[in-house]
Amino acid sequence: MSDKRLERALAPFREAAARPYDTVKACKASGRTQVVGCSPMHFPEELIHAAGMLPVVLQETEEPVTEGFAHVHPFFCGITRNAIDLAARGGLDFFDGLIYSDICIQNRNAALSLKHILPKGVRMALAQFPTVLSRDGVFEDTLRELGKVRGFIENLAGRRIEDQALAESIRLFNRNRGLLRRLFDLCRESPGRLSMRDRQIVVRAGMVMPREEYGRLLAGLATELEAVEPMTRSGQPLFLSGHLCQGPKLDIVDLIEGTGVEIVDDDLYTGRRYFALDAETDGPPLEALARRILDRTVPVPTRSDGEMGWAGYLVDRIRQSGARGAILLIAKYCEPHLFVYPFMKAALAEAGIPYLMLETEHEVVSLEGMRTRLQAFVEMLDRKAI
Amino acid sequence: MDEIIKEPNRLESVSKIGAMMIASFLEIKEQAARGSKVVWANGLPAFLLARGAGLPVLHAEGLIAGLAAKGLEKPLQEAAEEFGMLPDCCSYARSFIGLARIARGDFALNPDLDPTLYRMPPPDLYVNVPGAGCGTGRLWGDSVAAICGVPAFHLEPRFNWDESDQAYNFEDYIRQQKQFIGLLEEVTGRPYDWDRLREVMGHVKKAVTLRQEIMDLCAHKPSPASFFDMAANIGPVCHLVGLPGTVGLLDDMKQEVEQRIAQGVGSVPNERYRLYWDGIMTWPKLGVLGRKFASLDACVVAGAYTHLLFMPRADLIDPDRPLESIAHNLCGIGINCDFNGQVDHIVNLCEKFGIDGLVMSETQTCRAFNSHSFAVMDGVGRRLGIPAVTIGGDSCDERFYSDAQTDTRLQALVETIEARRKNRLR
């Protein structure tokens, strides 16, 4: 495949990811659809899609937080501050509805602030899916909450969400998730096929684009990439972990890749976490969504699973990927991540896996300090390899 | 500040609480030494339910706040930070994780330190009961449980997003309490003692009612006691509830307050401004802040932490219906409502206590207590026409406190109050 063909295949994803909300506004302006935002992580976008609306996973944008500080303290995480700031400046008024999930105290607080700030025309809901997976009746509770959210969406759309439509949406989302897995598997085999920056862009575009169009473009890209011969490894294979509910800044991804390493795999939210699991396609579709939400295959510290499961999972994933080290990206003030970090640190040390923890912020202050640390880490890996 | 430093009139009865708290923690050590299983918990209701099972409960916030108020919290935070905890995490949680590491023998205490309160018996069970269903409490509980190799139970009220949630959330909380009681039966290996729980709830009602009466007396001008007295007075409705001497202590306190009213003695010698405090107490600066406000002739009369938490609805406690009583006091409290609900609660407090201004203390590592700050400043300000300031702080990590910033902002607040008074007189 020529570079030009790859560039052509990537162009629509790059355009959508560079200005995510412009993409959404364009869809809305075309009169095709209402748009409903949802906060990241567990929310089943299929429910919004099945109501004939465009689901949009809220994105962290590049603007510095300014007017938002009239509503939020500076010691809240970046995505919270950014969402509140956008709302304060009218930047989220185009949504017809917004659904937040109670994934952590900051996310819930963002929902409360947005409810307070946004115009009444943007209708809001809070989905409270179970946070303790070992509790009795957790499946029934999830189903009840999904039913409640389904009612909210139906009300917004002015029409019922039929089971058949929901089943079709699940199939479409499963297809897209399957394509993303194929694409990431190709990159694990040969990371040179697609940089982590572009992998990030492809995933993020899928959070805002009309999903049918996205699926077609994704299928095209996967086919093109499959035609590429695996390339010879040129740098240290690394695993990228972290950022539970937002994508890392692309500047930072560039910085990491700029040291010559090859990112073979990840467990980022805007990476494997987003498309790791499908929903079942047989049986009642709402129950399938509930089972997907409760699936414990990919540990998430925002829900209690009776153990700090992410640390062991991370070690296993790094070993499976063939990476020689890991970079842990932690969004500053992200408590779910900060509480697990000591356990990760211990597990990685015990497994003999070198790692570098980098704390990231919404406003990228200075990349130079980070570059020095990255270079030192990579040099250490190089020496170890010798 | 240029002002002369003035000492507040602390309630004498409050000074007895510290010794009672220490005695109660030492009693837990003794019970553990006698072979009793021990529960560690954050939040209030875990106590009440675990006491019904005859299990001693080490209350996280009670122990940590007590240590921090004496400037003794640092070793716990060092133990957590050595493990990899970063200072941006909830400092209550961080300190308790440090305590767990010390209890497990994973962190060597400086031999110069008195280990009495740092070396507590490790838990057999951890219970997380966050006041507002705060997810950080869950992480805190899971961390301590993982360090100590014990189970964690999470008793979390669902959030009241709107009024339609309330009935289900109430029922859900009762269901969770029943599950917890089932776990307590497993841990103790005996049936749960409901009679004992009813007895405990009787003590709670008595203590909470007395404390409420004391706080209500502070509507008097000058206020006979301050928020700082009431912050120190949380123990009697929390860790000390139901223990010998607790009701007597509250009786003494009420008498002392009534006596002050009769004698016209205020908590602040020359009370000129009456303020509301939002956020958790900055425990390491309890004395410093008490003097600072007194020096400005300002009395902090009420606060959300003291007045809207810790079983604020004594009237809804029915000892014969313990689970419902607890649910009423957890699910419907201010911090578990949306901003409009929180503003309503605080407006009521301000009107009741004749508040002139709001001090919004940023409890910097507690996101649960900070989301509403600006909405409250705006909402209460609009409805009552009173000014507000934010000041930096944290529950138990003094690194987030700045004395100079606090001085400047408090000075600005009292000047604004003064200017508004003058404008009203014109």
Side-chain angles (χ1 to χ4, degrees):
Chain A
M1 186 181 65
S2 71
D3 283 351
K4 274 188 183 167
R5 283 181 64 174
L6 180 60
E7 290 299 307
R8 267 203 303 276
L10 284 168
F13 300 109
R14 286 178 175 159
E15 196 181 325
R19 287 172 294 278
Y21 290 152
D22 287 350
T23 304
V24 177
K25 285 178 198 165
C27 285
K28 185 166 174 168
S30 71
R32 277 188 290 172
T33 181
Q34 286 180 286
V35 294
V36 178
C38 54
S39 68
M41 289 177 81
H42 313 300
F43 190 80
E45 299 160 49
E46 291 94 326
L47 268 177
I48 300 170
H49 182 267
M53 301 189 287
L54 176 65
V56 178
V57 180
L58 290 182
Q59 301 290 302
E60 187 178 0
T61 63
E62 296 294 328
E63 292 92 338
V65 177
T66 54
E67 290 167 49
F69 281 133
H71 304 274
V72 64
H73 290 286
F75 44 86
F76 277 66
C77 69
I79 192 166
T80 298
R81 275 181 280 138
N82 177 238
I84 291 173
D85 183 66
L86 284 175
R89 290 193 272 142
L92 300 180
D93 289 359
F94 63 90
F95 280 113
D96 296 288
L98 263 184
I99 306 170
Y100 261 71
S101 303
D102 196 0
I103 53 173
C104 72
I105 190 69
Q106 299 190 56
N107 206 53
R108 187 209 288 171
N109 289 342
L112 283 172
S113 294
L114 295 181
K115 187 182 180 187
H116 192 67
I117 300 167
L118 288 170
K120 296 284 173 238
V122 184
R123 292 175 54 198
M124 284 201 66
L126 179 72
Q128 299 190 62
F129 298 123
T131 48
V132 181
L133 301 184
S134 55
R135 192 175 285 158
D136 295 346
V138 80
F139 179 73
E140 291 74 16
D141 286 347
T142 309
L143 212 50
R144 179 192 173 275
E145 198 64 14
L146 279 172
K148 200 175 151 195
V149 176
R150 180 186 196 156
F152 171 82
I153 295 169
E154 285 177 338
N155 203 271
L156 203 59
R159 67 187 233 197
R160 276 179 55 79
I161 300 172
E162 301 298 341
D163 272 3
Q164 196 188 338
L166 187 53
E168 279 169 21
S169 295
I170 288 174
R171 277 193 286 276
L172 170 68
F173 277 71
N174 280 352
R175 263 200 309 278
N176 288 353
R177 286 189 280 254
L179 284 165
L180 283 168
R181 285 194 293 271
R182 195 166 123 206
L183 197 140
F184 272 59
D185 286 347
L186 286 167
C187 294
R188 181 166 55 198
E189 186 188 308
S190 177
R193 279 183 163 128
L194 198 63
S195 68
M196 182 44 110
R197 164 184 262 272
D198 281 330
R199 278 176 253 168
Q200 283 291 299
I201 281 168
V202 170
V203 175
R204 292 181 205 189
M207 295 175 171
V208 297
M209 289 173 76
R211 304 305 195 268
E212 292 82 355
E213 181 191 346
Y214 177 70
R216 279 192 297 276
L217 293 166
L218 201 56
L221 177 65
T223 308
E224 296 285 1
L225 283 175
E226 267 179 344
V228 178
E229 286 297 314
M231 298 165 204
T232 314
R233 287 274 168 87
S234 59
Q236 293 285 355
L238 274 192
F239 189 95
L240 197 54
S241 170
H243 273 232
L244 279 165
C245 73
Q246 56 184 292
K249 298 278 178 194
L250 294 176
D251 287 352
I252 292 174
V253 175
D254 289 344
L255 205 62
I256 296 170
E257 295 192 307
T259 60
V261 301
E262 292 192 321
I263 300 171
V264 287
D265 214 341
D266 72 274
D267 75 342
L268 303 173
Y269 171 64
T270 48
R272 290 271 186 186
R273 281 181 179 273
Y274 183 64
F275 50 80
L277 301 168
D278 285 342
E280 295 161 6
T281 49
D282 50 352
L286 209 62
E287 291 186 16
L289 293 180
R291 272 189 282 278
R292 182 172 184 269
I293 288 170
L294 295 174
D295 193 298
R296 300 190 198 189
T297 312
V298 183
V300 186
T302 52
R303 310 188 299 192
S304 174
D305 58 2
E307 50 184 324
M308 299 303 259
W310 189 6
Y313 167 85
L314 180 63
V315 168
D316 291 345
R317 288 282 319 279
I318 294 170
R319 283 181 172 149
Q320 286 158 14
S321 72
R324 293 206 189 114
I327 292 175
L328 315 182
L329 295 175
I330 300 187
K332 192 165 174 64
Y333 306 121
C334 174
E335 282 191 309
H337 204 163
L338 290 174
F339 274 81
V340 183
Y341 172 65
F343 295 92
M344 285 181 157
K345 195 170 162 258
L348 290 169
E350 195 183 325
I353 298 170
Y355 68 92
L356 174 69
M357 188 273 261
L358 296 174
E359 204 174 30
T360 65
E361 245 294 27
H362 174 69
E363 291 84 7
V364 179
V365 181
S366 161
L367 291 175
E368 276 313 300
M370 204 175 269
R371 190 194 313 274
T372 308
R373 293 177 64 197
L374 276 164
Q375 282 168 343
F377 178 63
V378 174
E379 280 169 24
M380 186 266 287
L381 288 180
D382 287 342
R383 276 202 304 277
K384 216 173 164 190
I386 294 165
Chain B
M1 279 192 297
D2 295 335
E3 284 80 9
I4 300 160
I5 302 296
K6 296 178 192 166
E7 288 292 331
N9 295 321
R10 301 291 301 275
L11 288 174
E12 267 183 44
S13 41
V14 166
S15 62
K16 295 176 192 158
I17 294 174
M20 287 177 73
M21 292 288 281
I22 290 171
S24 75
F25 293 127
L26 297 182
E27 171 61 21
I28 293 172
K29 289 176 97 162
E30 284 172 22
Q31 284 178 271
R34 290 196 296 268
S36 172
K37 290 187 172 171
V38 174
V39 178
W40 283 21
N42 61 282
L44 176 62
F47 275 102
L48 316 175
L49 297 172
R51 284 209 174 148
L55 290 174
V57 182
L58 180 67
H59 182 227
E61 294 94 327
L63 177 67
I64 308 300
L67 288 169
K70 292 179 166 55
L72 299 173
E73 75 288 3
K74 291 279 181 307
L76 303 180
Q77 292 165 12
E78 283 165 15
E81 285 169 25
E82 188 211 51
F83 181 47
M85 299 290 300
L86 270 69
D88 292 324
C89 294
C90 164
S91 58
Y92 269 139
R94 230 181 321 129
S95 305
F96 218 46
I97 286 168
L99 193 82
R101 296 197 71 227
I102 294 167
R104 293 279 301 170
D106 297 338
F107 179 79
L109 264 182
N110 181 336
D112 295 337
L113 289 170
D114 173 4
T116 310
L117 288 179
Y118 293 124
R119 206 162 277 149
M120 299 305 288
D124 296 283
L125 172 67
Y126 192 93
V127 193
N128 155 49
V129 194
C134 167
T136 302
R138 205 179 318 120
L139 296 156
W140 165 358
D142 281 345
S143 298
V144 172
I147 289 167
C148 296
V150 299
F153 189 89
H154 304 282
L155 198 52
E156 295 180 320
R158 286 166 55 90
F159 190 76
N160 295 317
W161 178 253
D162 56 42
E163 282 181 10
S164 68
D165 287 330
Q166 287 177 5
Y168 178 78
N169 292 356
F170 183 82
E171 290 305 321
D172 176 72
Y173 202 67
I174 288 178
R175 187 172 54 132
Q176 289 188 47
Q177 291 182 79
K178 287 180 178 164
Q179 286 177 20
F180 177 51
I181 284 170
L183 176 63
L184 288 172
E185 288 180 325
E186 273 176 42
V187 170
T188 59
R190 55 179 183 261
Y192 190 72
D193 188 341
W194 288 94
D195 286 338
R196 186 182 291 190
L197 178 63
R198 288 186 196 100
E199 193 187 320
V200 169
M201 291 309 293
H203 291 307
V204 172
K205 188 170 174 81
K206 227 180 258 178
V208 168
T209 305
L210 267 171
R211 185 169 180 270
Q212 189 63 57
E213 286 168 0
I214 296 166
M215 291 196 294
D216 287 351
L217 287 168
C218 295
H220 191 272
K221 292 180 184 176
S223 177
S226 74
F227 166 80
F228 302 105
D229 293 312
M230 291 307 122
N233 184 17
I234 291 170
V237 290
C238 211
H239 199 75
L240 300 176
V241 104
L243 297 185
T246 298
V247 169
L249 175 82
L250 289 165
D251 273 330
D252 290 350
M253 199 176 291
K254 192 178 167 201
Q255 273 180 30
E256 192 182 351
V257 165
E258 284 169 337
Q259 202 174 9
R260 281 190 175 188
I261 291 173
Q263 295 169 347
V265 175
S267 171
V268 164
N270 180 30
E271 179 188 296
R272 184 164 171 77
Y273 313 105
R274 294 168 67 86
L275 305 177
Y276 160 89
W277 177 285
D278 200 279
I280 301 175
M281 183 60 226
T282 300
W283 293 111
K285 299 295 169 195
L286 188 65
V288 170
L289 286 163
R291 282 189 290 279
K292 209 174 277 299
F293 282 99
S295 302
L296 288 166
D297 299 330
C299 183
V300 182
V301 184
Y305 196 59
T306 45
H307 290 60
L308 300 178
L309 290 177
F310 306 103
M311 311 294 276
R313 297 295 307 271
D315 57 316
L316 295 178
I317 299 175
D318 175 356
D320 289 329
R321 298 175 69 82
L323 303 190
E324 288 82 353
S325 302
I326 292 172
H328 277 306
N329 272 278
L330 254 287
C331 299
I333 58 173
I335 197 169
N336 214 27
C337 304
D338 72 2
F339 290 162
N340 291 335
Q342 295 187 39
V343 168
D344 287 344
H345 279 286
I346 294 166
V347 163
N348 289 341
L349 272 187
C350 291
E351 285 180 332
K352 181 173 175 179
F353 290 100
I355 297 297
D356 300 309
L358 311 178
V359 179
M360 311 300 289
S361 175
E362 298 166 342
T363 308
Q364 266 189 245
T365 65
C366 175
R367 279 88 198 173
F369 249 104
N370 273 302
S371 65
H372 61 287
S373 309
F374 299 106
V376 164
M377 289 165 78
D378 184 48
V380 177
R382 273 173 204 271
R383 278 164 64 179
L384 300 181
I386 56 177
V389 288
T390 59
I391 59 171
D394 185 54
S395 49
C396 5
D397 192 334
E398 67 176 353
R399 285 174 287 187
F400 296 102
Y401 173 82
S402 158
D403 207 54
Q405 181 228 53
T406 305
D407 281 345
T408 311
R409 294 190 183 177
L410 292 183
Q411 190 67 49
L413 178 67
V414 295
E415 283 173 15
T416 309
I417 295 170
E418 202 58 53
R420 288 187 186 189
R421 281 181 183 167
K422 281 179 186 157
N423 282 340
R424 274 202 293 271
L425 287 175
R426 275 182 199 148

